[in-house]
Amino acid sequence: MSAPAFYLLAYDISDDRRRAKIAKIMEAMGARVQGSVFEAYLTPVHLETLLKKVNKTLKKEEDSLRIYPLCENCREKIRTVGRGQATPPPEVMIV
């Protein structure tokens, strides 16, 4: 299995019920860093699983999900101001 890559995921969901469902999916796969922004370490298989689950709920005409892959070099340059820190890599990944 491929090593997990670091992703920044952000969604804009117009409906409260759909937004809650998407949030639950994201919380299972990553760490919430802002209201609708998550950081996650995902393998290609995990990313595809996440997308399949999201696509069952998300309405493409009204909602959006943005997925930004960040390389290791970019991840190391993440800066935060105020509370919080970048999500550290998992020490052990359970599959």
Side-chain angles (χ1 to χ4, degrees):
M1 182 181 274
S2 298
F6 187 69
Y7 291 91
L8 181 72
L9 304 112
Y11 60 78
D12 184 19
I13 310 294
S14 59
D15 178 77
D16 290 343
R17 180 173 276 159
R18 288 196 312 272
R19 187 170 44 254
K21 286 181 181 181
I22 297 295
K24 194 170 190 175
I25 293 166
M26 295 294 177
E27 288 169 344
M29 303 290 274
R32 186 188 296 258
V33 295
Q34 294 274 317
S36 61
V37 180
F38 290 78
E39 293 175 343
Y41 287 87
L42 303 170
T43 64
V45 170
H46 290 129
L47 179 59
E48 285 306 312
T49 299
L50 180 138
L51 290 172
K52 285 179 185 176
K53 290 179 180 181
V54 165
N55 281 326
K56 290 179 182 177
T57 301
L58 188 130
K59 285 193 175 181
K60 293 180 181 171
E61 323 76 55
E62 299 176 28
D63 307 328
S64 68
L65 170 64
R66 293 177 181 253
I67 303 166
Y68 300 95
L70 297 175
C71 68
E72 183 64 27
N73 190 35
C74 294
R75 192 189 70 75
E76 292 172 1
K77 294 178 183 177
I78 294 172
R79 294 172 46 183
T80 59
V81 177
R83 296 178 25 171
Q85 64 180 13
T87 304
E91 291 184 26
V92 176
M93 182 155 213
I94 299 172
V95 181

